[in-house]
Structures are given as structure tokens and as C-alpha cells.
Amino acid sequence: MIYLGKFDPLKDECVRVMDKDGNIINPKLMPKISPEEVLEAYKIMNLSRRQDIYQNTMQRQGRLLSFLSSTGQEACNELGAKSPDGVNSLPPNIVIGSQYSQATGIAFAEKYRKSGGVVVTTTGDGGTSEGETYEAMNFAKLHEVPVVFVFKAIATGTPSIKVDGNDYLACIGVFKEVVEYVRNGNGPVFVECETYRLGAHSSSDNPDVYRPKDKQQEELDAEHDKLVAAEFA
């Protein structure tokens, strides 16, 4: 294990490979990934950023309904942006928190079938406020099902790890390891992606209310925007 058990999220220890300028600062944590895979990931993340900009413009023009932005969160989102052969993706769930129950149920079935399948599901701050989320996590641990929970909270009794959600290399390394860990019958794992949103939560928000337009905010955004930093690294 390179990551699990080596970084304690309760001590705010976070897996990072790149610094704010896109330079490799922890070469020992570099995942086994080819240059071609890195380039493909960058293309997807860059496309996501451009799509957000385009959709936001269309929404402001009244040509598009409300949508949720992922600007600044491309690194951890890219992991689920495409489905390779053998991967089944479910559509987004509108009922907040219910995806955890569904993921746990599917993982229970995969364990029963002895398929070797692993289930990955995500949620944000809202999902961690729902009781159903914790019921699902409790059931998953009780039955040691092969599921990876990705969110912004840490639960006791289950292996957990915190990763820089804006650092693609750190994310892909951690996720490859935890997926293999749960695939080998070790039960669920919690992954906290410490990420940073560069814009509004959705097109229904007014980000000016909680994101001041000043030099300090611009510097803070630039510090966390590894997608742009990677262009110059």
C-alpha cells in the first residue's frame, strides 16, 4: 500500500503529487500511469472546463436551463467522466444521499455473486446531511461489501483517506489503490476529496454573495487551479 494507512485524514494529512504550479513535489506518490493516459485525462478535464464556460454563457442568455458547474473540480470528476469497457454507469441521482443506498445494494449483490466487481459512488456536503447516507455506510461496513464512498466526511471504523481533489495524479493513484483494496474483499473505503470550486455551485446561484471579486480571491483561485497550472508545467 502506498496511500491507505499512510495518510491520516483525522490529522488533516492529504495525498498530493503536484503543487499549485503543476510541478511534481512527491515523485514517490506518482501513480503507475502512462503519458498517454495523462494526456487523455487532461483533454477530458480541459473539455469539462470549456463546457462549463459555454453552458454558463448559454444559461445567462436564457438558452439553457439551470445546470451544476464543476469548474475547479475536474481532477476528481474526471475519474467518472467516461466508462471504459466493463464499467456500468448509472445516471445522476436527484434525491440527495440516496445514491449511497443504491451503491451499497449493488455492491452487496456483487459480493453475493462473487463477481469481483467494485462500486464507486460520490456525494457532497448535502449528502452527508442525510440519514440514508449513514445507514448505507453502516450496512456496507457490517457486510464488508466492495464499495468506495467518495465524499467530504470521515466515518470511524472504516479505512479512510484524504486526497487533493484538484490533483489528478494524486486522485488516480489513490483510486486505483482503493478499488483494488475493496476488490480483494477488505470491505468499504472512504475517500475524502478536498476540492475547490472556482465558480457558482449552480447557474441558479449568485457567486458574488460568497465569492468576493477582489485580488485576494483571484490569487486564491489561481493557487487551486491545477488545470491551468498544468498547461505551463
Side-chain angles (χ1 to χ4, degrees):
M1 292 290 179
I2 299 176
Y3 311 100
L4 275 177
K6 305 297 176 60
F7 294 84
D8 187 351
L10 298 180
K11 296 180 180 178
D12 203 31
E13 296 175 353
C14 184
V15 179
R16 286 191 176 89
V17 176
M18 296 187 293
D19 64 12
K20 63 182 180 64
D21 297 316
N23 300 309
I24 304 299
I25 56 174
N26 287 311
K28 292 182 179 180
L29 299 181
M30 277 288 291
K32 294 181 179 180
I33 182 172
S34 69
E36 291 76 19
E37 289 179 285
V38 174
L39 180 59
E40 180 64 19
Y42 177 76
K43 288 180 179 178
I44 293 175
M45 290 187 288
N46 191 52
L47 177 62
S48 175
R49 175 69 62 87
R50 293 175 183 273
Q51 179 176 302
D52 261 12
I53 295 172
Y54 178 69
Q55 288 186 147
N56 187 65
T57 300
M58 291 189 67
Q59 198 277 334
R60 295 301 186 232
Q61 294 174 346
R63 301 164 62 192
L64 184 70
L65 296 177
S66 177
F67 78 98
L68 299 177
S69 172
S70 62
T71 298
Q73 299 175 313
E74 293 87 0
C76 51
N77 287 345
E78 191 279 334
L79 299 173
K82 59 178 181 178
S83 297
D85 293 340
V87 174
N88 298 312
S89 296
L90 297 179
N93 202 318
I94 300 301
V95 181
I96 297 175
S98 62
Q99 66 267 36
Y100 268 44
S101 294
Q102 296 171 10
T104 298
I106 296 172
F108 185 81
E110 295 300 308
K111 180 179 180 178
Y112 179 80
R113 294 167 53 200
K114 298 181 180 180
S115 67
V118 173
V119 182
V120 180
T121 186
T122 67
T123 193
D125 296 336
T128 61
S129 300
E130 297 293 330
E132 184 174 356
T133 297
Y134 297 97
E135 293 168 4
M137 292 189 295
N138 182 65
F139 185 93
K141 180 58 181 174
L142 179 64
H143 295 279
E144 298 288 11
V145 301
V147 58
V148 178
F149 296 115
V150 184
F151 67 147
K152 299 177 181 178
I154 299 300
T156 58
T158 298
S160 56
I161 189 168
K162 182 177 182 179
V163 60
D164 184 345
N166 292 69
D167 184 337
Y168 172 74
L169 295 176
C171 286
I172 191 65
V174 167
F175 274 87
K176 282 188 173 184
E177 182 170 290
V178 299
V179 166
E180 193 61 28
Y181 178 87
V182 299
R183 193 192 305 278
N184 290 333
N186 294 300
V189 171
F190 297 98
V191 179
E192 178 185 2
C193 289
E194 184 181 62
T195 186
Y196 182 88
R197 189 169 56 234
L198 293 170
H201 170 62
S202 76
S203 56
S204 300
D205 290 355
N206 176 12
D208 294 342
V209 174
Y210 51 87
R211 288 176 51 84
K213 290 185 176 181
D214 54 27
K215 185 67 174 179
Q216 183 177 2
Q217 185 66 53
E218 291 179 3
E219 292 175 350
L220 189 62
D221 288 351
E223 180 180 342
H224 287 84
D225 195 355
K226 289 189 172 68
L227 181 60
V228 173
E231 296 179 359
F232 307 102

